[in-house]
Amino acid sequence: CLEHAWDLYYKVLQRLNRQLRRLEPLDLAQVSPALHTAADLVLAVPGTYRADQPVVCIRGFKRSLTVIDSKQRPRKLEIYGDDGRSYAFLLKGHEDLRQDERVMQLLGLVNQLLAADVRLGSGGGGGSPGAPTGLGVCQYAVVPLSPNSGLIGWVVHCDTLNQLVREYREARKILVNIEHRLMQQLAPDYEQCTLMQKVEAFIRALES
C-alpha cells in the first residue's frame, strides 16, 4: 500500500515538473502581490550602495519574471531605480549565497590592492613606476536574502555554460541531457542515493 502511494506521488511530481518547465514568464501580481504594488521605496537598489555616492532607491519592479531554463529554475527580476535605470538580478532559491558574497568581498579587496600598488606597472613589462596596470577582477552584486535564497547581479553580454553546451550539442544532434538520462538508467532512484553512489553513477555515465 505504501509503495502504491509512493508511485502515485512520484507520477504527480513528474507531471508538475513537466508543467513547471513550460512556465517561462511569471506574473509578479500572482507570485508576489506585495512587490507588484511596491513603489517609491526608501530602500537602495541591491548592490548599488556606495558610501560616497548618492543612494539609488527602488522606484518599482517589472511586472513579470522570466524563468531561466536550468536545474534550480531561477528567476530574472528587474528593479527600476529612481535614477531612471533598470537593474536586472537573478533570483535564486534553494542555495546559500553567503559564501558567494564573501568571494565578491575578497575580489573587491584584491581590486583595491591592485589599484593601490601602482608599482606593478614596472614589473617586467617595460612600464615605468607608477604606470596603471589595468589589472582587476570583474565583480557583480551578490545579496543573500535568507540562508537559502538571494539575488545575483545580472551580467550582460555573457553566456552561461548551460547555453554553450546546449548550442554545441543541438548543432550536432546530441541529446542535451544525455548524462542525466544515463545516470537515471544506471540508478532509477538517483535522488535518494548517497553522495558516493551519485558520484559512481556520474562516472559510469561519462564512461558510457
Side-chain angles (χ1 to χ4, degrees):
C1 181
L2 183 61
E3 291 182 0
H4 179 66
W6 172 254
D7 290 339
L8 291 176
Y9 168 78
Y10 188 68
K11 289 178 181 178
V12 172
L13 181 62
Q14 287 183 319
R15 185 179 302 176
L16 288 174
N17 284 334
R18 286 194 296 268
Q19 292 177 352
L20 286 173
R21 291 191 187 98
R22 292 195 293 267
L23 289 176
E24 291 190 358
L26 297 177
D27 188 359
L28 187 62
Q30 294 182 354
V31 297
S32 179
L35 289 183
H36 181 262
T37 57
D40 299 325
L41 303 180
V42 188
L43 184 67
V45 175
T48 63
Y49 177 78
R50 301 292 183 274
D52 56 345
Q53 297 179 10
V55 178
V56 180
C57 293
I58 297 175
R59 175 66 56 84
F61 298 84
K62 188 176 180 180
R63 299 311 185 196
S64 62
L65 300 173
T66 303
V67 181
I68 308 300
D69 186 16
S70 62
K71 181 180 179 181
Q72 297 293 349
R73 309 290 291 174
R75 278 67 163 153
K76 182 181 180 183
L77 170 69
E78 291 190 42
I79 300 176
Y80 301 127
D82 61 3
D83 60 349
R85 295 177 57 190
S86 176
Y87 298 85
F89 295 89
L90 192 68
L91 175 60
K92 300 198 71 175
H94 311 291
E95 191 168 340
D96 190 350
L97 297 182
R98 289 176 292 184
Q99 291 185 351
D100 301 68
E101 182 186 32
R102 297 295 180 268
V103 171
M104 284 299 118
Q105 292 173 348
L106 174 62
L107 295 180
L109 177 60
V110 170
N111 286 339
Q112 291 179 10
L113 294 175
L114 289 174
D117 193 1
V118 293
R119 292 173 299 175
L120 288 175
S122 61
S128 58
T133 64
L135 297 176
V137 183
C138 181
Q139 295 176 261
Y140 50 85
V142 178
V143 185
L145 300 176
S146 73
N148 60 355
S149 65
L151 295 172
I152 297 179
W154 190 268
V155 182
V156 297
H157 308 305
C158 293
D159 290 327
T160 64
L161 183 60
N162 179 59
Q163 287 176 312
L164 297 175
V165 172
R166 180 182 294 274
E167 292 176 1
Y168 178 87
R169 293 189 173 183
E170 286 180 348
R172 290 160 178 78
K173 309 299 181 183
I174 303 173
L175 290 175
V176 176
N177 61 341
I178 181 64
E179 292 86 0
H180 186 258
R181 292 194 178 191
L182 290 173
M183 286 190 294
Q184 285 187 324
Q185 292 176 3
L186 293 169
D189 56 345
Y190 179 79
E191 296 300 331
Q192 284 72 43
C193 293
T194 64
L195 177 60
M196 292 308 300
Q197 289 172 333
K198 289 181 179 180
V199 171
E200 183 179 356
F202 178 71
I203 294 174
R204 290 190 179 182
L206 292 179
E207 294 175 347
S208 300

